Amino acid sequence: MLTDPNCIFCRVVAGEIPAATVYRDANILAFLDIGPLSDGHVLVIPLGHHEKLSEMPPKLACALAAELPRLAKAARAVTGTEGFNVLVNEGKVAGQEVKHVHFHIVPRRPGDGLGYRWNAGKYPEGRIEQLQAEYRETIAKGSR
Ligand code: AMP
Ligand code: ZN
Protein backbone atom coordinates (compact mmCIF):
# COMPACT_ATOMS: atom_id res chain seq x y z
CA MET A 1 0.00 0.00 0.00
CA LEU A 2 1.25 3.46 -0.91
CA THR A 3 2.04 5.79 1.95
CA ASP A 4 3.56 9.26 2.30
CA PRO A 5 5.12 10.12 5.67
CA ASN A 6 4.48 13.83 5.07
CA CYS A 7 0.76 13.34 4.37
CA ILE A 8 -1.64 14.18 7.22
CA PHE A 9 -4.16 11.56 6.17
CA CYS A 10 -1.51 8.83 5.79
CA ARG A 11 -0.52 9.71 9.35
CA VAL A 12 -4.15 9.40 10.44
CA VAL A 13 -4.28 5.97 8.75
CA ALA A 14 -1.08 4.97 10.57
CA GLY A 15 -2.51 6.12 13.91
CA GLU A 16 0.17 8.81 14.31
CA ILE A 17 -2.44 11.58 14.31
CA PRO A 18 -5.61 10.95 16.28
CA ALA A 19 -8.91 11.02 14.45
CA ALA A 20 -12.51 10.26 15.33
CA THR A 21 -12.80 7.15 13.18
CA VAL A 22 -16.34 6.03 12.41
CA TYR A 23 -15.57 3.21 9.97
CA ARG A 24 -12.54 1.29 8.74
CA ASP A 25 -12.10 -1.74 6.52
CA ALA A 26 -9.27 -3.22 4.43
CA ASN A 27 -9.36 -0.35 1.93
CA ILE A 28 -10.93 2.76 3.40
CA LEU A 29 -11.27 4.90 6.49
CA ALA A 30 -14.05 7.31 7.47
CA PHE A 31 -13.57 9.89 10.21
CA LEU A 32 -15.01 13.17 11.39
CA ASP A 33 -13.60 16.33 9.79
CA ILE A 34 -11.94 18.51 12.43
CA GLY A 35 -13.02 21.66 10.61
CA PRO A 36 -16.64 20.72 9.93
CA LEU A 37 -18.73 22.55 7.36
CA SER A 38 -21.69 21.23 9.33
CA ASP A 39 -22.27 19.11 12.42
CA GLY A 40 -21.43 15.51 11.51
CA HIS A 41 -19.21 16.27 8.47
CA VAL A 42 -17.35 13.06 7.61
CA LEU A 43 -14.34 12.38 5.38
CA VAL A 44 -13.92 9.08 3.55
CA ILE A 45 -10.45 8.20 2.32
CA PRO A 46 -8.56 5.28 0.81
CA LEU A 47 -6.02 3.81 3.26
CA GLY A 48 -3.34 4.09 0.57
CA HIS A 49 -1.88 7.40 -0.48
CA HIS A 50 -3.54 8.52 -3.70
CA GLU A 51 -3.54 12.23 -4.36
CA LYS A 52 -6.13 12.39 -7.10
CA LEU A 53 -9.49 10.78 -7.69
CA SER A 54 -8.72 10.98 -11.42
CA GLU A 55 -5.61 8.81 -10.94
CA MET A 56 -7.06 6.31 -8.48
CA PRO A 57 -7.09 2.63 -9.44
CA PRO A 58 -10.74 1.92 -10.43
CA LYS A 59 -10.99 -1.05 -8.05
CA LEU A 60 -10.01 1.13 -5.12
CA ALA A 61 -12.40 3.85 -6.22
CA CYS A 62 -15.10 1.16 -6.29
CA ALA A 63 -14.22 0.02 -2.78
CA LEU A 64 -14.58 3.58 -1.56
CA ALA A 65 -17.74 4.36 -3.51
CA ALA A 66 -19.30 1.09 -2.38
CA GLU A 67 -19.42 2.31 1.21
CA LEU A 68 -20.81 5.78 0.43
CA PRO A 69 -24.47 4.73 0.65
CA ARG A 70 -23.99 3.14 4.09
CA LEU A 71 -21.90 6.01 5.42
CA ALA A 72 -24.24 8.64 4.00
CA LYS A 73 -27.22 6.82 5.47
CA ALA A 74 -25.45 6.80 8.84
CA ALA A 75 -24.76 10.52 8.49
CA ARG A 76 -28.47 11.13 7.98
CA ALA A 77 -29.45 8.91 10.90
CA VAL A 78 -26.87 10.27 13.35
CA THR A 79 -27.45 13.93 12.53
CA GLY A 80 -31.20 13.65 11.99
CA THR A 81 -30.85 15.33 8.63
CA GLU A 82 -32.63 14.49 5.41
CA GLY A 83 -29.90 15.29 2.96
CA PHE A 84 -26.22 15.88 2.39
CA ASN A 85 -23.65 16.93 -0.17
CA VAL A 86 -20.88 14.57 -1.25
CA LEU A 87 -17.91 16.50 -2.51
CA VAL A 88 -14.43 15.79 -3.82
CA ASN A 89 -12.00 18.64 -4.37
CA GLU A 90 -9.21 17.79 -6.79
CA GLY A 91 -6.35 20.20 -7.30
CA LYS A 92 -5.47 23.53 -5.75
CA VAL A 93 -7.81 25.28 -8.17
CA ALA A 94 -10.72 23.31 -6.71
CA GLY A 95 -9.69 23.92 -3.12
CA GLN A 96 -7.91 20.64 -2.37
CA GLU A 97 -5.75 21.26 0.67
CA VAL A 98 -4.92 17.73 1.72
CA LYS A 99 -3.28 15.86 -1.13
CA HIS A 100 -4.81 12.50 -0.28
CA VAL A 101 -8.15 11.74 -1.97
CA HIS A 102 -11.10 12.36 0.32
CA PHE A 103 -14.85 12.40 -0.12
CA HIS A 104 -16.63 14.92 2.07
CA ILE A 105 -20.07 13.92 3.35
CA VAL A 106 -21.65 17.16 4.54
CA PRO A 107 -25.02 16.84 6.28
CA ARG A 108 -27.40 19.65 5.33
CA ARG A 109 -30.01 21.43 7.38
CA PRO A 110 -32.62 23.91 6.24
CA GLY A 111 -31.25 27.42 6.49
CA ASP A 112 -27.68 26.32 7.25
CA GLY A 113 -26.40 29.01 4.90
CA LEU A 114 -23.89 26.71 3.20
CA GLY A 115 -25.44 27.27 -0.21
CA TYR A 116 -25.62 24.70 -2.96
CA ARG A 117 -26.05 26.49 -6.26
CA TRP A 118 -22.95 27.65 -8.08
CA ASN A 119 -23.36 30.20 -10.84
CA ALA A 120 -24.49 28.15 -13.81
CA GLY A 121 -23.36 29.25 -17.27
CA LYS A 122 -24.76 28.82 -20.74
CA TYR A 123 -23.06 27.22 -23.75
CA PRO A 124 -22.59 29.21 -26.92
CA GLU A 125 -23.87 27.54 -30.10
CA GLY A 126 -21.92 24.40 -31.01
CA ARG A 127 -19.84 24.16 -27.84
CA ILE A 128 -21.79 21.32 -26.26
CA GLU A 129 -21.42 19.15 -29.38
CA GLN A 130 -17.70 19.97 -29.55
CA LEU A 131 -17.25 18.98 -25.90
CA GLN A 132 -19.30 15.82 -26.38
CA ALA A 133 -17.03 14.72 -29.23
CA GLU A 134 -13.86 15.50 -27.28
CA TYR A 135 -15.10 13.69 -24.19
CA ARG A 136 -16.13 10.62 -26.16
CA GLU A 137 -12.79 10.45 -27.94
CA THR A 138 -10.78 10.98 -24.76
CA ILE A 139 -12.78 8.44 -22.77
CA ALA A 140 -12.49 5.87 -25.57
CA LYS A 141 -8.70 6.34 -25.66
CA GLY A 142 -8.31 6.53 -21.87
CA SER A 143 -6.47 3.77 -20.08
CA ARG A 144 -7.56 2.23 -16.82
P1 AMP B 1 -9.95 19.79 1.18
O1 AMP B 1 -10.02 21.28 1.19
O2 AMP B 1 -10.98 19.16 0.30
O3 AMP B 1 -8.55 19.27 0.92
O4 AMP B 1 -10.37 19.35 2.65
C1 AMP B 1 -9.48 18.97 3.63
C2 AMP B 1 -10.31 18.73 4.88
O5 AMP B 1 -9.53 17.98 5.80
C3 AMP B 1 -10.75 20.00 5.58
O6 AMP B 1 -12.17 20.01 5.67
C4 AMP B 1 -10.09 19.90 6.96
O7 AMP B 1 -10.90 20.40 7.99
C5 AMP B 1 -9.87 18.40 7.08
N1 AMP B 1 -8.76 17.98 7.95
C6 AMP B 1 -7.47 18.40 7.88
N2 AMP B 1 -6.73 17.76 8.83
C7 AMP B 1 -7.57 16.93 9.48
C8 AMP B 1 -7.41 15.99 10.55
N3 AMP B 1 -6.21 15.81 11.15
N4 AMP B 1 -8.48 15.30 10.97
C9 AMP B 1 -9.69 15.50 10.39
N5 AMP B 1 -9.91 16.34 9.36
C10 AMP B 1 -8.86 17.06 8.93
ZN1 ZN C 1 -1.66 10.24 2.14
Side-chain angles (χ1 to χ4, degrees):
M1 189 178 76
L2 299 168
T3 188
D4 176 348
N6 298 315
C7 168
I8 297 175
F9 288 175
C10 283
R11 297 187 66 201
V12 167
V13 169
E16 293 165 17
I17 293 178
T21 295
V22 298
Y23 177 78
R24 183 173 182 137
D25 65 22
N27 298 301
I28 73 164
L29 176 71
F31 54 103
L32 287 157
D33 193 306
I34 41 161
L37 292 176
S38 70
D39 192 57
H41 179 171
V42 164
L43 299 174
V44 192
I45 68 171
L47 296 185
H49 183 80
H50 297 273
E51 179 178 338
K52 299 177 175 178
L53 175 66
S54 60
E55 302 292 343
M56 245 176 119
K59 276 195 177 152
L60 186 51
C62 282
L64 204 155
E67 297 306 331
L68 287 180
R70 190 148 63 119
L71 296 171
K73 199 171 179 183
R76 282 182 45 187
V78 168
T79 62
T81 54
E82 285 184 10
F84 52 84
N85 293 110
V86 171
L87 181 68
V88 177
N89 301 324
E90 177 166 314
K92 201 174 166 190
V93 72
Q96 183 178 13
E97 282 180 4
V98 178
K99 292 181 178 172
H100 182 132
V101 179
H102 47 285
F103 282 61
H104 297 259
I105 301 176
V106 184
R108 298 300 305 268
R109 295 167 180 80
D112 60 20
L114 285 176
Y116 64 102
R117 287 269 177 248
W118 293 342
N119 292 330
K122 214 172 173 189
Y123 283 121
E125 177 110 20
R127 178 62 179 153
I128 203 160
E129 292 79 6
Q130 185 190 4
L131 282 168
Q132 180 188 20
E134 286 178 25
Y135 264 97
R136 291 175 70 113
E137 194 187 329
T138 304
I139 291 165
K141 278 196 310 212
S143 59
R144 286 206 163 197

